[in-house]
Amino acid sequence: MQRLWLLVALLFLSIGAQAQVGLSPQILDIALDGTAGSQAFRLFNYTAEDKIVKVSVVNWTMDGEGKVSTIPTTEQSLDGWLVINPLEFTVKAGQNQVVRVAARPAVALTPGEHRAMVYFEEQPQDKAPGAATTLRTVFRFGAAVYGHVGPAERKGALVGLDATANSAVLQLRNDGNATSRCSGSFAIWRKADFPGDAATTAIAKVGTAEAELPPGVVQAGRLPTDAVLPGATRRVSFDTAKALPPGDYVLDLNGSFGDSPLDRSQPFHVGTAAH
């Protein structure tokens, strides 16, 4: 029976339960001023079989919808100046492998951020256990490496916010020179109970059983941590609430985008479902 190999590609995420492989950390930040020491990824193999892995590195960018794409190497991109060891290895069943990364630029890099994506790709093995099955998964996933020359400025603004009965869309603009992300919480208030932006703050321990929701808040959660590249504007969407009864509500955001404060609210209405 002809074998079918299924390639599973996951960016900025650890491998799912089916592949049973993990990576730590998923992102590296490297200071490129002066002599930078080496850093390392550690690849974990939780399966009962050995994994042969190849490592590669590319230059990359991201569009306004968050889609990552490979772009050609330039003299200023970080991918051409990373030293990675080893580039091919076998991770024994139940073991892990350290992959060391060091930046060794041979030219003067301009102030600001320089990026690379390091890919870890499992190599199919014809004689591996289970290879005769009709469907077998191998993993390929990427880990972002950010290098910085000079101070990293993470600043920006929320330039648009839309809310519906169960989702929200943020338009985030990064005015700094380093990739930025949101942190903090969102809360859904009954509109009649909403005290105004100035009277609300981020909810501590949001998303856990220990979080204490203010009276009038019907649901809450963490803000998305999607990356926004320097100089870019990105659309970030996320689920907010499910099964809200009909009525008027306010989506309230509290936290930060990079080092810039984030404090915004948006009213929305939940209508009666059509039958």
Side-chain angles (χ1 to χ4, degrees), residues 56-248:
S56 60
V57 59
V58 299
N59 190 18
W60 64 279
T61 190
M62 181 188 296
D63 66 16
E65 297 296 320
K67 180 181 179 182
V68 172
S69 59
T70 299
I71 56 177
T73 298
T74 71
E75 188 178 63
Q76 290 292 312
S77 61
L78 188 59
D79 59 303
W81 307 119
L82 287 185
V83 178
I84 300 175
N85 184 46
L87 288 172
E88 185 171 359
F89 52 87
T90 298
V91 190
K92 296 294 185 180
Q95 301 297 312
N96 63 80
Q97 171 71 43
V98 172
V99 177
R100 302 197 179 279
V101 179
R104 300 286 186 265
V107 300
L109 298 180
T110 58
E113 183 175 276
H114 304 265
R115 293 179 297 275
M117 187 75 71
V118 179
Y119 283 107
F120 298 80
E121 183 172 357
E122 181 184 359
Q123 304 302 296
Q125 303 178 67
D126 289 339
K127 295 182 180 181
T133 60
T134 58
L135 179 66
R136 176 177 169 77
T137 62
V138 296
F139 64 82
R140 178 181 186 262
F141 62 102
V145 181
Y146 300 92
H148 302 280
V149 176
E153 299 178 354
R154 293 182 170 88
K155 60 182 181 180
L158 175 64
V159 296
L161 172 62
D162 293 316
T164 65
N166 54 21
S167 65
V169 177
L170 314 180
Q171 290 284 349
L172 294 164
R173 186 186 69 234
N174 187 343
D175 299 322
N177 66 2
T179 294
S180 297
R181 297 171 177 82
C182 290
S183 64
S185 65
F186 69 83
I188 297 176
W189 291 76
R190 290 186 291 267
K191 187 175 182 180
D193 298 322
F194 182 58
D197 292 340
T200 61
T201 59
I203 299 173
K205 300 180 180 179
V206 67
T208 72
E210 300 176 21
E212 296 183 6
L213 302 185
V217 172
V218 295
Q219 296 189 32
R222 293 187 178 91
L223 289 174
T225 58
D226 303 61
V228 185
L229 300 187
T233 297
R234 179 178 172 186
R235 178 180 182 272
V236 174
S237 60
F238 64 101
D239 293 336
T240 54
K242 296 180 180 179
L244 284 175
D248 293 313

